[in-house]
Amino acid sequence: MHTNSHIARAKIQAPLFRSGLIDRVDLEHRLGEAITSRRLVLLVAPAGYGKTAALSRQLQRLPEGYGVAWLTVDEEDDLRRLLGYLIEALDPLDPPWRVAPEALFDLLAQGHLREAASAVVTTLEATDTPHGVIVLDDLHTVVDPLIFEFLDRLLEHLPQNWTLVVATRLEPPLALARWRARREMSAFDETALSFSRDEVQALWYSATGQDDAEQAQRLHERTRGWAAGLCLSLEASRTAPGSEPKRVWQSRRHLFDYLASEIFDGLPVELQTFLMRCSLLAELTALRCEQMTGHARVVELMEDIERRRLFVSVLDSEELTLRLHDLFRDFLEDRLRRLHPEEVPGLLRQAAAGEADPLRRILMYVRAGAWDQAQHALSASAGDMLANDAGAEVMRIVEQFPADIQAQSPWLAYARGLCNWRHDKYSTVRSDMAHAAAGHDALGRHDDAQRARAMQALAMLFCGQMMEARQLGQVLRSHRMDLETETLCEWLDFWHENLNGPIDGPGRRLSGLIDLMMRGATPELWTRFIPRVNLFIGRPRVAAQIQRLIHAVRAVAGDRHWSLQANVNVTEAWLLLWQGRMEELEVAFERIEGDSHWLGQPPTLRAWLLMLRVMAQVICGEENAVRTTGAVVYKQTSDLDRSSDLASLSLAMNLRAFAAIGDWPTVRTHIAALEAQPGHDAPPMQLLLRTTRSMLALHEHRVDDALITLREVVANAGLLEATYVGVMARVHLARAELAVGSPSAAWQALSPLIERFGAGGELGPIMYTGSKTLTELATAPWRGAASDDGLAILRNWVDTSRRLKVGAEARPATGSAKDHAGLSERELEVLALLANGRSNKLIARDLDLSPHTIKRHVARILNRLDLASRVQAADWYRTRVGT
């Protein structure tokens, strides 16, 4: 989650109740019993009835070992933000997440609310606690209806040893009738929360030291047991000892008037001003208050506020941190806006300028109507947010700007473009970046315009506008470029030379591109370039540069940028596939499956994994598996964005696979589907379509038709010859030439492959043609046309293909007991420490890793061992490995 640790700590800490509060035996007994036995506990009452104090006090009395996750909700919290803070609140319990917590945000962005709730429930079930309690305080502030939908789903499947507690001024729109009918809900309204006559008398004695039953009775009658009214009246009594408490009205305006006359107006002017200006802060610390007021004695004033018990909670933190009671903060802000309305926008700007959390800072600027600062703050933070998989949050912020600013702002257009790039929506990116470039040009912001225009050119390339993209790139290179623009242009030239030559151009360009990136590219910039670099792996030096790229990206990704790690794992898998290193590829598949599960099964990652799987199954001769996986690939293309080329790529990989195993009815279906896709007329797609049609012609004994097309394909393949399809074209041309009695022409078709792949370092494309086809060629009547060395290479390919098939059939589905179920050495280290009772944070410290990495290792351990909790994993380790 992209959040500031102090902000998260403030929102997920239960306020401390003050010593000296009276015992409320009856309420505490009923509330304690409800919290430990009901699915849902609801405290619903108007402001000032002591809901937060009652909960805070009760939770501190829970038995040892009970887990508590407290979250104070505010009006800025949408579902994504609330879920992020809930994840933070659960973290001290070491919940064994099976899906990356960050991936839940992507599920929400895709509308998969049910799946996100299910992932939370699964984690709660596996969390080691005799009973867990989730508290949502101030739920009445929520304006996002998705929060209530999420909570309904969470409640529906909440484990029996967990309770959801809600404190709110209004009854929330949840399925309360269901839980009431099932007697799984306890509700505490203002009647239950009000102080009884005896409690008021005890409170009066505690506050004044006087045992005056008559005075306490009058106080009870006037306040009707309302906690805030009691506190206000008692505070007034302290201010004027011996005076009778005045009547307290429960309407907001009367309450504000009472606060003004009995509390606020009696404070020193210095403290009044301090409180009003700091009321715009969610939490008060010395640094933040000094930024807001410029006061030299902020610590003294904060201590005075606490000493006067001015409706604040003290948060448990290293420095004095106060949180104003909602009622008091609302009163102070109301007072500020009435007395000093001209100061409010400036104070909000000051609050935003000193805010460490990027999202809260941007939203404060939005609240102040400071649109320029809000745009610049978003521009400065968008890259980090995207690198941390918070693209949905970036888009949500953009949508909070007024429509006219959204339509005009180049910063917002650029941020939209980066978000759309991550989802392969290239036509939208092209429009966004053109808008951003024009806007920055009009403002004289040359570097920003150049960057936007470079992204526009790349989007044009992927939309099939190759010449236009090339021309725009040349214009960019004719002007001054910063490092990012130069990197983007180098990437554009890499793609241009992949498609147009020279043949050794991509290797040189990729080398230069990596050099540029290593000079200081951000993780977000690396993320833009990893996908699809594998498509031209057969060009000279490209495979070596991809290996270099993999090392560089892993160094940049570290242990935080999960999507970047997943992308580089996919890239490595393509390299292993090309090199025919199938055993290592299986290990890579496990990593990618883990990535996909951890990230919440993102469609793009799933698409790449399925494409890799179906190709590996072809190479290993697993025809039934090819049909099964291919069917999934075909079905999922309908779920991919139409403006992305990923659907076309998926269909192309599938078409190649079904042609390789000779499933001709499915080949016909895929040819029709691919021809209906945008971009099917691009040279690589035409090469594939013409080759597979020729293979189909061979199957139908239309050898002459196949020969005509395959000879043209091979003669004109050019730069595409060193690809899987280029290899397929030559292999099947050889078959066709042999079919018409031309072994010399057949060997001439095969010779470049013998020369290129004979050494054995890059066997993937050869193995992809299939054991049957290779056997047919190795045993063909060559009549002296084939060289002995060439035939030996062919026979060696046949043997390798057969070994791969046997290896795939013998490969176990999971690791054996001997190798500890496939756990890596690092995972065994983590498991050993976990079995010894160490928390995630302590394991991270012991192994010099981040807690995020330890969470990921725990998830992998549970997945590989098919276990549900840390306790089960510890038992497994003690039983199988030892103490």
Side-chain angles (χ1 to χ4, degrees):
M1 180 184 168
H2 192 82
T3 186
N4 177 265
S5 59
H6 173 75
I7 299 299
R9 187 170 62 248
K11 285 180 68 74
I12 65 177
Q13 282 188 352
L16 301 176
F17 67 89
R18 299 188 184 93
S19 60
L21 293 181
I22 65 166
D23 288 330
R24 304 188 66 192
V25 178
D26 182 57
L27 173 64
E28 290 165 3
H29 173 74
R30 289 184 291 119
L31 186 56
E33 185 178 26
I35 287 174
T36 56
S37 63
R38 295 290 190 267
R39 180 188 300 262
L40 174 64
V41 176
L42 183 65
L43 283 74
V44 55
Y49 268 92
K51 301 180 290 293
T52 300
L55 278 176
S56 174
R57 184 184 178 102
Q58 193 59 45
L59 292 177
Q60 293 185 47
R61 296 185 171 188
L62 289 175
E64 184 177 354
Y66 275 42
V68 176
W70 178 288
L71 173 58
T72 300
V73 185
D74 61 51
E75 61 275 4
E76 293 179 353
D77 292 329
D78 60 2
L79 177 54
R80 187 192 190 285
R81 195 166 173 82
L82 181 138
L83 182 56
Y85 286 125
L86 177 58
I87 290 166
E88 296 278 356
L90 290 169
D91 195 56
L93 305 180
D94 278 338
W97 293 100
R98 306 298 286 272
V99 175
E102 297 84 355
L104 301 184
F105 307 141
D106 286 335
L107 289 175
L108 295 181
Q110 297 161 18
H112 298 157
L113 191 145
R114 181 190 297 274
E115 290 79 358
S118 177
V120 174
V121 168
T122 299
T123 299
L124 295 178
E125 285 177 332
T127 299
D128 300 328
T129 181
H131 195 89
V133 182
I134 297 172
V135 180
L136 299 179
D137 193 20
D138 291 342
L139 192 66
H140 57 272
T141 61
V142 165
V143 295
D144 182 1
L146 290 178
I147 288 180
F148 299 110
E149 185 179 346
F150 176 83
L151 292 178
D152 264 331
R153 295 192 184 281
L154 185 66
L155 275 168
E156 186 176 356
H157 301 288
L158 197 66
Q160 288 187 344
N161 64 324
W162 280 86
T163 298
L164 176 65
V165 181
V166 170
T168 175
R169 297 180 190 175
L170 303 170
E171 190 167 281
L174 300 172
L176 302 181
R178 177 192 308 172
W179 310 121
R180 284 194 182 103
R182 296 181 183 179
R183 297 185 179 181
E184 295 186 61
M185 168 184 158
S186 290
F188 297 80
D189 60 11
E190 56 264 41
T191 301
L193 294 168
S194 295
F195 280 68
S196 69
R197 181 178 290 104
D198 290 342
E199 288 172 338
V200 172
Q201 185 170 345
L203 188 64
W204 176 263
Y205 179 79
S206 175
T208 66
Q210 301 173 10
D211 189 9
D212 190 335
E214 184 179 350
Q215 187 77 292
Q217 181 174 345
R218 282 198 296 269
L219 180 59
H220 180 262
E221 289 172 354
R222 288 169 178 164
T223 62
R224 288 174 285 178
W226 181 44
L230 289 166
C231 292
L232 289 167
S233 297
L234 291 170
E235 183 64 30
S237 296
R238 292 191 190 97
T239 305
S243 64
E244 182 179 335
K246 298 182 181 179
R247 183 172 181 81
V248 179
W249 299 92
Q250 294 188 33
S251 73
R252 184 181 180 88
R253 175 48 56 196
H254 288 152
L255 175 60
F256 281 9
D257 291 343
Y258 188 92
L259 279 167
S261 63
E262 300 298 330
I263 306 295
F264 187 77
D265 290 346
L267 298 175
V269 173
E270 177 186 45
L271 189 56
Q272 290 182 18
T273 304
F274 181 83
L275 280 166
M276 284 191 293
R277 287 180 172 161
C278 293
S279 67
L280 299 176
L281 299 173
E283 290 86 28
L284 280 60
T285 64
L287 176 60
R288 299 291 280 124
C289 291
E290 184 177 358
Q291 291 169 343
M292 293 294 288
T293 66
H295 210 293
R297 298 192 305 111
V298 290
V299 175
E300 294 176 41
L301 291 172
M302 291 176 65
E303 290 173 348
D304 193 19
I305 291 168
E306 183 187 7
R307 185 168 52 253
R308 290 173 182 268
R309 299 186 174 184
L310 289 176
F311 308 101
V312 296
S313 303
V314 181
L315 300 182
D316 184 17
S317 59
E318 295 178 2
E319 62 174 329
L320 178 60
T321 304
L322 306 178
R323 179 189 293 151
L324 297 170
H325 188 286
D326 284 351
L327 276 173
F328 195 44
R329 185 176 65 241
D330 291 348
F331 160 75
L332 290 170
E333 185 173 339
D334 176 79
R335 186 87 164 184
L336 175 67
R337 291 182 180 277
R338 286 196 295 119
L339 295 180
H340 307 289
E342 75 286 351
E343 291 188 18
V344 174
L347 287 170
L348 282 168
R349 286 185 174 90
Q350 281 182 276
E355 179 58 60
D357 177 64
L359 177 58
R360 189 172 274 183
R361 179 169 61 251
I362 297 164
L363 294 178
M364 279 183 174
Y365 280 131
V366 169
R367 189 177 165 200
W371 305 118
D372 287 346
Q373 291 97 323
Q375 291 176 72
H376 295 151
L378 177 58
S379 178
S381 302
D384 286 342
M385 295 172 74
L386 287 166
N388 286 288
D389 302 313
E393 191 165 314
V394 173
M395 290 295 285
R396 186 181 70 84
I397 294 171
V398 170
E399 291 164 359
Q400 294 198 28
F401 285 79
D404 60 331
I405 293 178
Q406 288 189 48
Q408 297 167 10
S409 169
W411 291 279
L412 299 185
Y414 192 81
R416 280 197 306 268
L418 291 183
C419 292
N420 286 317
W421 179 269
R422 292 171 68 86
H423 296 285
D424 306 319
K425 298 180 179 180
Y426 298 120
S427 61
T428 308
V429 175
R430 178 182 57 192
S431 174
D432 289 333
M433 292 304 177
H435 179 181
H440 284 308
D441 272 337
L443 295 170
R445 302 181 65 88
H446 171 81
D447 289 347
D448 291 333
Q450 289 281 84
R451 282 193 293 273
R453 203 158 273 121
M455 286 300 299
Q456 177 190 355
L458 282 165
M460 291 166 67
L461 179 86
F462 290 122
C463 288
Q465 297 175 279
M466 298 179 190
M467 290 304 298
E468 295 90 335
R470 174 66 170 169
Q471 291 167 3
L472 184 52
Q474 290 172 337
V475 171
L476 288 167
R477 284 196 177 274
S478 68
H479 295 85
R480 184 188 77 249
M481 297 184 293
D482 64 10
L483 178 62
E484 183 171 331
T485 302
E486 186 179 357
T487 303
L488 294 168
C489 286
E490 195 69 18
W491 185 248
L492 183 65
D493 288 343
F494 167 76
W495 271 92
H496 176 80
E497 293 188 2
N498 271 319
L499 297 171
N500 299 285
I503 194 167
D504 62 345
R508 287 186 292 101
R509 288 290 182 187
L510 188 55
S511 175
L513 179 63
I514 296 170
D515 289 341
L516 280 172
M517 299 281 280
M518 291 177 70
R519 285 168 50 188
T522 63
E524 187 276 324
L525 190 56
W526 283 99
T527 303
R528 290 186 227 173
F529 299 129
I530 292 300
R532 293 181 174 74
V533 72
N534 56 278
L535 295 180
F536 301 96
I537 199 170
R539 301 294 174 78
R541 294 183 58 203
V542 167
Q545 292 305 316
I546 287 178
Q547 187 64 66
R548 185 175 165 228
L549 178 70
I550 290 167
H551 290 310
V553 173
R554 285 196 168 134
V556 170
D559 56 13
R560 289 301 303 270
H561 302 295
W562 301 116
S563 290
L564 186 54
Q565 290 187 45
N567 280 328
V568 79
N569 286 339
V570 168
T571 300
E572 182 180 47
W574 283 113
L575 182 62
L576 294 171
L577 185 75
W578 178 263
Q579 295 169 341
R581 294 155 61 186
M582 306 310 290
E583 289 188 7
E584 294 171 75
L585 182 61
E586 281 301 314
V587 176
F589 281 160
E590 287 187 20
R591 282 198 297 269
I592 300 168
E593 286 282 8
D595 292 335
S596 183
H597 190 85
W598 183 246
L599 293 170
Q601 310 287 5
T604 298
L605 183 58
R606 292 300 304 170
W608 285 113
L609 177 58
L610 288 168
M611 284 187 267
L612 280 161
R613 279 247 181 240
V614 79
M615 290 186 68
Q617 289 160 356
V618 170
I619 289 174
C620 293
E622 301 174 275
E623 294 188 6
N624 289 334
V626 170
R627 291 186 176 91
T628 301
T629 305
V632 176
V633 172
Y634 188 79
K635 181 178 182 298
Q636 63 123 45
T637 55
S638 60
D639 298 328
L640 297 171
D641 193 280
R642 289 286 296 175
S643 67
S644 164
D645 63 346
L646 201 55
S648 296
L649 283 172
S650 297
L651 287 171
M653 299 287 183
N654 244 23
L655 175 56
R656 242 165 43 190
F658 284 114
I661 67 171
D663 186 340
W664 303 114
T666 307
V667 165
R668 293 187 184 94
T669 301
H670 276 66
I671 287 175
L674 188 56
E675 287 179 331
Q677 289 287 321
H680 73 277
D681 54 348
M685 291 298 182
Q686 282 301 304
L687 177 68
L688 172 61
L689 287 167
R690 298 189 74 196
T691 299
T692 50
R693 285 197 198 96
S694 301
M695 294 169 64
L696 183 57
L698 272 177
H699 167 72
E700 295 171 347
H701 306 295
R702 295 183 288 109
V703 179
D704 290 341
D705 291 342
L707 267 176
I708 291 170
T709 303
L710 285 170
R711 285 169 179 168
E712 289 179 359
V713 165
V714 168
N716 299 310
L719 298 172
L720 297 173
E721 183 167 326
T723 62
Y724 285 93
V725 180
V727 171
M728 287 176 67
R730 283 195 170 274
V731 165
H732 292 286
L733 174 59
R735 291 181 62 227
E737 297 286 9
L738 286 168
V740 296
S742 302
S744 296
W747 191 253
Q748 186 178 358
L750 280 182
S751 291
L753 302 183
I754 299 288
E755 182 178 349
R756 167 70 193 272
F757 298 103
E762 298 177 329
L763 282 180
I766 298 297
M767 297 300 104
Y768 195 77
T769 60
S771 176
K772 292 178 182 177
T773 299
L774 292 173
T775 301
E776 178 185 335
L777 293 174
T779 57
W782 290 102
R783 299 199 297 269
S787 67
D788 291 341
D789 290 342
L791 284 174
I793 289 172
L794 263 179
R795 287 191 286 270
N796 183 56
W797 287 348
V798 172
D799 291 342
T800 301
S801 181
R802 288 172 177 167
R803 283 198 303 272
L804 288 174
K805 183 173 183 178
V806 171
E809 292 170 349
R811 190 178 300 123
T814 59
S816 64
K818 184 177 180 180
D819 67 358
H820 304 309
L823 296 179
S824 69
E825 290 184 15
R826 175 63 83 189
E827 287 161 352
L828 284 170
E829 285 182 294
V830 170
L831 184 53
L833 291 168
L834 184 154
N836 201 32
R838 309 287 277 178
S839 68
N840 284 352
K841 290 183 179 178
L842 292 177
I843 296 173
R845 188 187 67 185
D846 292 344
L847 299 181
D848 194 24
L849 297 171
S850 78
H852 289 272
T853 298
I854 300 304
K855 288 180 188 177
R856 177 68 187 277
H857 281 310
V858 171
R860 283 176 172 167
I861 290 166
L862 296 178
N863 284 333
R864 289 184 178 176
L865 301 183
D866 194 24
L867 300 175
S869 70
R870 292 167 64 95
V871 169
Q872 292 178 2
D875 290 343
W876 185 95
Y877 180 84
R878 296 187 193 103
T879 303
R880 304 291 184 89
V881 182
T883 58

